[in-house]
């Protein structure tokens, strides 16, 4: 799953290194428009819907936080 998420992130922002251990939002790697694109790509890739209440910056600060959010939906 981690590889798929990194692949999606790199298609959204190919100039960024998402393997670094930084907060994606604070480091400026992702902005709110990128999050919308990321949510859409995650939903398509993993075939599920993300509830609007989960589309908050805290769920998109790192690959691990994205994986944790997906886990709430039973995506593994």
């Amino acid at each position: 799953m981690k590889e798929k998420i990194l692949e999606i992130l790199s298609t959204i922002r190919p100039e960024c290194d998402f393997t670094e251990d930084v907060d994606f939002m604070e480091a400026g790697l992702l902005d709110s428009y990128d999050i919308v694109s990321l949510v859409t790509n995650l939903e398509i890739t993993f075939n599920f819907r993300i509830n609007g209440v989960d589309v908050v910056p805290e769920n998109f600060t790192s690959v691990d936080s994205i994986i944790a959010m997906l886990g709430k939906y039973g995506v593994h």
Side-chain angles (χ1 to χ4, degrees):
M1 177 185 310
K2 184 174 188 171
E3 293 78 25
K4 274 285 192 201
I5 293 170
L6 286 169
E7 183 180 316
I8 292 168
L9 288 166
S10 70
T11 61
I12 294 169
R13 297 286 298 263
E15 71 280 8
C16 297
D17 181 4
F18 292 99
T19 60
E20 293 182 26
D21 187 26
V22 297
D23 181 315
F24 297 160
M25 303 296 288
E26 283 186 15
L29 300 179
L30 293 176
D31 62 25
S32 58
Y33 294 108
D34 297 326
I35 297 299
V36 172
S37 183
L38 177 57
V39 166
T40 301
N41 280 284
L42 290 170
E43 290 178 335
I44 291 168
T45 300
F46 296 107
N47 194 31
F48 78 107
R49 290 276 179 229
I50 296 175
N51 189 322
V53 299
D54 287 322
V55 183
V56 293
E58 299 81 33
N59 287 333
F60 301 96
T61 59
S62 67
V63 172
D64 289 337
S65 67
I66 296 168
I67 290 171
M69 186 217 19
L70 296 177
K72 294 189 328 187
Y73 291 93
V75 178
H76 300 286

